[in-house]
Amino acid sequence: DTGVSQDPRHKITKRGQNVTFRCDPISEHNRLYWYRQTLGQGPEFLTYFQNEAQLEKSRLLSDRFSAERPKGSFSTLEIQRTEQGDSAMYLCASSLAAQPPGVGEAFFGQGTRLTVV
Amino acid sequence: QKEVEQDPGPLSVPEGAIVSLNCTYSNSAFQYFMWYRQYSRKGPELLMYTYSSGNKEDGRFTAQVDKSSKYISLFIRDSQPSDSATYLCAMSEGQLTFGSGTQLTVLP
């Protein structure tokens, strides 16, 4: 296992189209996170899963965004009816749930860069 | 006020200098503290990971956490041009909260 893998690396789409991104975490990691990063900013939390359960969603995650992790392994993030403001780098990370409760070492993928034209 | 504050820089230093990067935070529930390095158009790469107050050293990098002051630091000794990147602090209670990143340039 070489780390967190994201696909595609780049996506250009027209406004109003739907897009779906995939993340394959490090195999033994039970937590999976999605973040969004715009230029000059740190990553902003979108949502995270522990195994297949989606435990938390940010207020940033509008109704047009949906994420799944059906078998507790890979995850998908779908954006419906894309808008120009959705243009960003979408990052996935994975970790082992830690004791005390919190994030253990979290490793990121290379991200999917979305451009909405 | 953001939960995590980080001076965005940019910071420019000569090769061999000691670099100090800092973050402050407001949420006392944060328990894990991380520093990531991010090169342009790449995902963040985990550099250092600490739990609780104190120092942790890894080669040229030292991470320092002061929970009483809600202040964390990353020191880079003998900085190299290859250290030029954006450095992000992150901290967690259930998910990671990031600073905005400090852009560092080490000049040869």
Side-chain angles (χ1 to χ4, degrees), chain B residues 31-84:
Chain B
Q31 299 192 56
Y32 294 88
F33 304 90
M34 283 159 259
W35 284 96
Y36 287 85
R37 177 173 62 195
Q38 187 174 28
Y39 294 111
S40 181
R41 298 183 173 269
K42 301 289 187 184
E45 170 194 7
L46 182 63
L47 278 178
M48 302 282 290
Y49 161 74
T50 57
Y51 169 67
S52 79
S53 287
N55 292 359
K56 182 175 181 178
E57 190 173 317
D58 183 2
R60 296 185 295 111
F61 298 90
T62 299
Q64 210 170 67
V65 174
D66 182 348
K67 293 181 81 173
S68 63
S69 301
K70 297 189 179 67
Y71 188 88
I72 71 170
S73 300
L74 178 71
F75 297 96
I76 307 174
R77 290 184 300 280
D78 188 25
S79 55
Q80 302 295 309
S82 58
D83 295 328
S84 298

Side-chain angles (χ1 to χ4, degrees), chain B residues 85-105:
Chain B
T86 296
Y87 289 80
L88 296 155
C89 63
M91 34 204 90
S92 82
E93 39 158 341
Q95 37 88 359
L96 287 169
T97 302
F98 282 83
S100 56
T102 300
Q103 186 180 343
L104 171 67
T105 301

